[in-house]
Amino acid sequence: MSEPQPNSATAAPTEASAGRRLPRPALIAGGLLLVALAWLGWAHWQAGRMDIWRGAAALQFDPERPDALIETRSLAGLPRELLGLPGLDALLDEDFVAYYQSHPDRLGVVGALRKIAFEQRLDLGERIVAELLDQPAQVALWRSADGRLGHALLSIERGALAQLLGLLAPAAGRDSQLQQLTNLDIDGATVPVYLLRFGYRRSLLLAGHGDRLRVLLSPRLLERDRHGEALALLQAALAQTPEALPARFALNPLAGRHRLVVSADYLAMGYGRLLPQLSGLRLEFADGRWRSLLAVNALAAAELDLAPLWKAAPMGAAACVAAPVSGEALAEALQGFAEDALPSALRQRLGGPVALCWYPESRLYTPLILSRLLPEPADGDTAAAPPIDRLLGAAFDRHIGNPEREAGGRRWPLRESVASGGDARWQRAVASRWGLHAAAEAGEGEPRSARFLRVALARRGELLAFSLDARLVDQALLSAQQLYPPLFDELPEGGAVPLYFAPERLALLIEQEALASLPADYEPVFRNAAEAHLLPRLRAAAAQTPVAVRLPAQFEAGAAWTWLPLDWRRLRGSGQAAASVALCEGAAPAPSCWGAP
């Protein structure tokens, strides 16, 4: 029986077949396959980094320029010492401290850590948790899309907290509340980032680098799975030194116990570009006392002449605030208006300091606005320029009011008057659900079927007065004519006063606004809460005397972020008997008064 012959398909390769090579297309295809596999591996490795790059591009704020900064020697002690802020000491009590000690976020974080320690059998002692909540720290805050300070980055000296990260690291991945999200490359070092979930749909990021632990709390980013943006913010923070953020506000290292800084752009609620001379506000607590400072840019005391405005502001205001408005910035903001809508001859006259005053006889949304016309340009053709009253009247007529059905599809008529002394006044009725006047109060040329506002603008010399409540404009004219007592008679001398408030009248204004926004028929629960908790605090604060905040009489701020001390004065009397004392004078405990700068 013959031996079976090997199949030609499975026979060993001969010398001739061994010399054959794979076709070139096959080699190219194999090479491309290897490249594709390598690229896929690299892409998978780089996925987290790509998310960060995309997140950095999507961030709507500068990670290196926070809107506010808190520096403290003791996180746990800050809420209690905030009770000593003048004006807040009558509004806040121990409940304020208890609220932050039992805040749901705080309890949620502590509860999550203890749960992880129990389930993973970690030795997480009470000392470590206590140190986490009571450490020297920096808290940087950025404005979120809703206008609030919604992104918070906590930077803590690691100390015993290094032990916390060391304990938590092995639990990452084994516990549903803790996972290692990614690794970041910081200065050549690999830094793991942990995601900790706590409470209901709440989470934070943890990362330690160098001698500090960073904690990012941002509901807008983390709870909407925008991890790329959150990681971009965290990476920028990890790359910074502890001195970088205070330097953004032109601050030296913290010498006292607490320091709080807020940028003027955030305080201006989006109008900061019109106030380039103002940079920020700062509160410091040291030696048992608080003090405040204002940062200005390229501003001199002579440029901040507020006396003409306060001489036109009627006495009896609940609060008044004044600030310099840049004519150049205002002109730039008004560039979008056509020449016939807002003539350049009028735009050139707008700018300078502006004051806003709120009165309890009116509403919170109808303040009195006071300003002054700038001098006519020296290089302009004043002879050919239209009279300023014609420009003001035309602008008021064009921009105030809307066509209304009751008025036959037109706006309500403009009422214009020019007094013998040269005063000019314009007024128009505007129907509004928030109107101050009922339909029964309507006169000729005013709505008779709905509530309405009487909007008015007036000029006396270089002074301009505007309000949605015409009564305030009339009172301002009387004050400017010295026929009604002005607020100026109540203010201290010796420096510009950018802020004034009368607790009694301010409490009355806030009370009526709070109750008006909470009708008993529609919001009984919140109204009862306001009556039980808010109103007693307001009425307690109403017992305090009016306060004026004064700048130094002489200053010259040539550089950006020049800090000027603010002098808080408690006012006593008005007119010739007016007097003021430092807010500290007569105060019982030292922490409840402003220290001398």
Side-chain angles (χ1 to χ4, degrees), residues 20-21 78 123 152 180 215 285 321 385 434 462 509 514 516:
R20 290 201 298 262
R21 296 287 186 262
L78 179 58
D123 185 16
Q180 182 175 340
V215 181
F285 185 77
V321 60
W434 297 283
E462 302 299 315
L509 177 63

Side-chain angles (χ1 to χ4, degrees), residues 222-467:
L222 296 178
E223 293 170 17
R224 299 184 180 184
D225 294 328
R226 293 162 60 182
H227 290 161
E229 295 172 59
L231 289 171
L233 177 57
L234 185 61
Q235 185 176 44
L238 288 167
Q240 291 178 345
T241 63
E243 297 79 18
L245 291 180
R248 176 258 188 274
F249 298 98
L251 299 174
N252 295 320
L254 179 64
R257 184 164 170 80
H258 308 295
R259 182 163 62 191
L260 296 80
V261 190
V262 184
S263 69
D265 182 62
Y266 178 76
L267 293 175
M269 295 182 291
Y271 294 93
R273 61 182 299 185
L274 300 179
L275 309 171
Q277 296 96 331
L278 302 183
S279 299
L281 180 66
R282 166 174 144 208
L283 304 177
E284 288 186 342
F285 185 77
D287 300 326
R289 293 190 175 190
W290 286 96
R291 72 167 183 155
S292 60
L293 301 96
L294 180 70
V296 298
N297 300 320
L299 182 68
E303 302 175 47
L304 199 61
D305 184 12
L306 304 178
L309 303 183
W310 298 141
K311 289 179 179 179
M315 190 176 287
C320 289
V321 60
V325 173
S326 168
E328 296 178 359
L330 184 60
E332 182 181 350
L334 298 177
Q335 282 181 352
F337 286 93
E339 180 66 20
D340 60 340
L342 196 65
S344 56
L346 178 57
R347 296 182 218 176
Q348 295 172 356
R349 303 290 303 277
L350 301 178
V354 174
L356 282 78
C357 290
W358 292 264
Y359 291 82
E361 296 80 13
S362 190
R363 297 296 300 271
L364 188 64
Y365 53 86
T366 60
L368 172 65
I369 304 175
L370 298 168
S371 185
R372 289 175 61 82
L373 291 168
L374 297 176
E376 294 183 3
D379 56 348
D381 187 358
T382 57
I388 189 63
D389 287 345
R390 187 195 305 174
L391 296 173
L392 289 170
F396 185 89
D397 183 35
R398 183 180 180 105
H399 298 289
I400 300 299
N402 294 307
E404 299 182 22
R405 180 181 302 176
E406 189 180 348
R410 298 185 299 272
R411 290 174 293 181
W412 293 105
L414 176 68
R415 296 182 178 181
E416 183 176 4
S417 61
V418 179
S420 57
D423 297 349
R425 185 181 181 278
W426 302 267
Q427 179 178 314
R428 169 170 283 154
V430 179
S432 171
R433 61 182 297 187
W434 297 283
L436 301 178
H437 306 282
E441 303 176 45
E444 185 179 355
E446 294 180 335
R448 297 180 181 274
S449 61
R451 299 192 67 85
F452 64 96
L453 296 163
R454 289 180 179 139
V455 186
L457 169 69
R459 181 198 60 79
R460 178 177 175 81
E462 302 299 315
L463 175 74
L464 293 179
F466 174 83
S467 179

Side-chain angles (χ1 to χ4, degrees), residues 111-176:
L113 293 176
R114 288 174 175 162
K115 172 183 173 295
I116 294 171
F118 175 77
E119 292 180 350
Q120 304 299 326
R121 298 183 180 182
L122 304 177
D123 185 16
L124 187 63
E126 293 295 325
R127 178 182 62 85
I128 298 178
V129 175
E131 285 194 17
L132 175 65
L133 303 174
D134 189 18
Q135 281 282 313
Q138 288 180 351
V139 184
L141 300 121
W142 289 265
R143 180 171 25 197
S144 56
D146 59 3
R148 297 184 297 175
L149 295 174
H151 311 295
L153 183 70
L154 177 64
S155 178
I156 312 174
E157 294 181 5
R158 292 182 73 171
L161 296 177
Q163 182 181 354
L164 173 65
L165 281 181
L167 291 171
L168 292 178
R174 300 201 311 261
D175 192 280
S176 60

Side-chain angles (χ1 to χ4, degrees), residues 502-556:
E504 181 180 4
R505 295 187 288 271
L506 184 58
L508 180 61
L509 177 63
I510 296 175
E511 178 177 337
Q512 70 182 22
E513 292 295 331
L515 296 181
S517 65
L518 298 171
D521 295 338
Y522 298 98
E523 298 286 356
V525 175
F526 289 109
R527 187 182 180 96
N528 289 338
E531 291 176 344
H533 302 288
L534 175 63
L535 300 192
R537 296 294 176 195
L538 289 176
R539 290 162 185 167
Q544 300 183 5
T545 57
V547 173
V549 180
R550 185 175 61 181
L551 285 168
Q554 299 294 330
F555 64 86
E556 186 76 33

Side-chain angles (χ1 to χ4, degrees), residues 40-196:
L40 288 174
W42 178 86
H44 178 75
W45 177 71
Q46 289 285 86
R49 185 170 299 179
M50 292 293 291
D51 286 342
I52 297 173
W53 290 340
R54 287 191 293 265
L59 278 178
Q60 298 179 356
F61 53 88
D62 187 349
E64 297 182 0
R65 298 180 62 85
D67 293 296
L69 178 66
I70 300 173
E71 296 178 279
T72 177
R73 303 288 185 189
S74 169
L75 274 175
L78 179 58
R80 180 174 300 278
E81 281 158 343
L82 283 175
L83 297 180
L85 279 169
L88 293 183
D89 47 2
L91 290 174
L92 305 177
D93 59 7
E94 293 297 326
D95 291 340
F96 173 78
V97 180
Y99 170 79
Y100 279 96
Q101 289 178 342
S102 58
H103 191 277
D105 283 355
R106 171 176 174 149
L107 297 180
V109 171
V110 173
L113 293 176
R114 288 174 175 162
K115 172 183 173 295
I116 294 171
F118 175 77
E119 292 180 350
Q120 304 299 326
R121 298 183 180 182
L122 304 177
D123 185 16
L124 187 63
E126 293 295 325
R127 178 182 62 85
I128 298 178
V129 175
E131 285 194 17
L132 175 65
L133 303 174
D134 189 18
Q135 281 282 313
Q138 288 180 351
V139 184
L141 300 121
W142 289 265
R143 180 171 25 197
S144 56
D146 59 3
R148 297 184 297 175
L149 295 174
H151 311 295
L153 183 70
L154 177 64
S155 178
I156 312 174
E157 294 181 5
R158 292 182 73 171
L161 296 177
Q163 182 181 354
L164 173 65
L165 281 181
L167 291 171
L168 292 178
R174 300 201 311 261
D175 192 280
S176 60
Q177 289 187 263
L178 181 67
Q179 70 176 90
Q180 182 175 340
L181 191 61
T182 186
N183 290 323
L184 296 178
D185 184 7
I186 307 296
D187 299 332
T190 300
V191 178
V193 179
Y194 300 97
L195 176 69
L196 175 67

